[in-house]
Each structure stands twice: as structure tokens, then as C-alpha cells.
Amino acid sequence: MTSLTPVSAPVRPRNLTPLWQVLGLLIIVGVWWLITDVLKLWPPYVFPSPKAVWEEFSYGLWGSGPQDGKLLSSVGSSLRRVALGYVIAVALGSAVGLLMSLWRPLRDTLGAYLQGLQSVPSIAFVPFAILFLGLNERAVMFVVIIEGFIPVALAVSGAVLNVPPAWRTAGRTLGASHFSLVTRVLLPAALPNIVTGLRTAWSFAWRALIGAELLTANPGLGRLLEVGRNTSNMALVIATIIIVGVVGGLFDLLIRALETRMRRDYGLEVQV
């Protein structure tokens, strides 16, 4: 009589990505310190040391002086602006994208124009927005909305069109009305690809916001970059660039986590 031996669960390899990322960051800071504080390849006003940039962080984020705290207030202004613009862009883009997927004449006309406009850099819309709306908050919002609207509209349209035809046929066979077919079959089936478009739209809107703030007088991270340039404060410029990257990356990670979770729920991604 042979005995059955229990089958052990496969051992999953440890995820060392965070460790490698921290190690890479330490190497970058070490090389930065070496060429600025030790080798002194450039003067501090051209390429400041990590310590000088850290001081700008401390002044800007938690400093108590009358001019301190500007980084923190700028982050708040930019986040408020991009959040409002992104919500409007997603609402408008979803509606237009759904209409384009359901009505071919609109898809063949407006869809083709949006494809062309998608290749236009966001900074190109800033002069139009300033001349059309003035040098104010509305000009910045216009650029953010237009840059978020285009990828959302194209993503929703493409995602609904890519739903397998058999799903439409099954819905109609089961007696679904046109409204039910859209809301209960097409949109749920297209949701993973729509979320991918939302993540792309966030990146576009965030970059558009910084570019628009850079060229207008509205307070924000983009405006802070311009202040650093005008005062020859390279440490402030680098500190602001790092803040822009960190804030944008954090929101991208949040949307990416939602996208990954949704793709797993739909069976489109296998965890290894």
C-alpha cells in the first residue's frame, strides 16, 4: 500500500522590486552628491547639491517663515485645479466616447479630428486658451480639460467597439433593450479598457496643468518653476520637479492599482 504525500504549495519568488528601487535611489543621490559636493563640476547656482535641494523642501513644505510653505500651498492649488478639470474631462469624454461608439457618422468625423488633436502637445493649447479666455484660471482649466477629454473619449469609444459581437448578439437574444444592452452589457464589458484610458488621461491632464501654470500667473507648481527660473534658484526648480514627479506618480499608482484589480476580476491578467 502506497502512502499519499501532501503536495506542497508552489513557492512564489519574493518581490524584490521595492528593494531595487530604493537601492537605485540611493545610487542616484550618491552620484549626485559626488559630482556636486566632492568633485564640484558645476557651481551651486547651476547644479546645487542634494543638501541645498533638501533645504528648499524643508522651507517649502514645513518652514515657518513668512515666505515658507509655498511648495505645500502650490501642491494644494495644483491638485485642486487638476482634480476639477479631470472630473469634467472624464464626464465629457465618457459621454462623447459612448456616442461615438454607437453612432458611426460621429465616430468618422469627430473621432478622426480627436485622433489628430491627440498628437498636439498640451503646451500648444496654452496660447489659444490665454487669447480666448484671458490670463486667468479658466485658461488653465481649459487646457487641463481638453487634454483629459481627448484620451477618455477615444478610450471609451474604442473599448465599447472592441466588445465581442457575440456579447451584443447574446444580449439582444435575451431580450435586452437598447438602453439595457449599453448599460448592462457593453459598458461593463468595456470597463477594464476604459480604466486604462482614464490612467492615460490623468497623465495627460497632469502634464498639461504644469505646462499651463508655467505660462500663466496662477499659483501652482508650474508657477513655482517659473519663480525659481526668474530668481535663478535652481534648488527650488529641482525640488519642484521632484514634487511634480512624486505627486503625479502617486496618483498614477492609485489608478494603476485599480486597473490591475479590475483586469484580475475580469480574468484578463494572471498573478504570477
Side-chain angles (χ1 to χ4, degrees), residues 113-262:
Y113 299 144
L114 292 181
Q115 289 283 0
L117 285 175
Q118 194 177 28
S119 62
V120 178
S122 60
I123 201 74
F125 290 107
V126 176
F128 171 82
I130 293 175
L131 292 174
F132 188 67
L133 298 169
L135 194 63
N136 50 41
E137 178 99 1
R138 290 182 299 171
V140 179
M141 294 299 298
F142 173 83
V143 178
V144 173
I145 292 172
I146 197 70
E147 280 298 303
F149 162 78
I150 295 174
V152 171
L154 293 176
V156 171
S157 175
V160 174
L161 288 173
N162 285 329
V163 174
W167 292 42
R168 299 170 184 259
T169 304
R172 292 194 182 99
T173 303
L174 294 174
S177 64
H178 190 69
F179 180 77
S180 297
L181 185 67
V182 172
T183 57
R184 297 189 176 183
V185 178
L186 297 182
L187 284 179
L191 204 52
N193 290 329
I194 292 177
V195 174
T196 302
L198 296 182
R199 184 164 61 84
T200 304
W202 160 259
S203 299
F204 277 46
W206 181 243
R207 284 180 287 182
L209 171 77
I210 301 302
E213 288 180 344
L214 190 64
L215 299 180
T216 60
N218 297 283
L221 289 170
R223 182 60 184 167
L224 207 57
L225 287 171
E226 182 66 7
V227 171
R229 186 188 71 84
N230 291 334
T231 58
S232 299
N233 188 349
M234 181 62 87
L236 175 61
V237 171
I238 294 177
T240 307
I241 290 174
I242 293 174
I243 289 288
V244 170
V246 170
V247 173
L250 286 176
F251 277 88
D252 184 77
L253 281 177
L254 288 175
I255 302 177
R256 188 187 295 271
L258 174 64
E259 177 189 3
T260 303
R261 175 65 181 272
M262 188 164 296

Side-chain angles (χ1 to χ4, degrees), residues 94-115:
S94 299
V96 173
L98 183 59
L99 289 176
M100 287 197 302
S101 68
L102 300 176
W103 192 30
R104 182 159 189 172
L106 185 63
R107 184 167 67 249
D108 291 342
T109 53
L110 182 60
Y113 299 144
L114 292 181
Q115 289 283 0

Side-chain angles (χ1 to χ4, degrees), residues 17-35:
T17 302
L19 179 63
W20 284 114
Q21 290 174 341
V22 172
L23 182 61
L25 178 62
L26 292 177
I27 292 175
I28 291 174
V29 174
V31 172
W32 182 4
W33 170 79
L34 181 67
I35 63 178

Side-chain angles (χ1 to χ4, degrees), residues 3-15:
S3 59
L4 297 177
T5 56
V7 179
S8 58
V11 179
R12 295 173 57 186
R14 295 179 59 186
N15 184 9

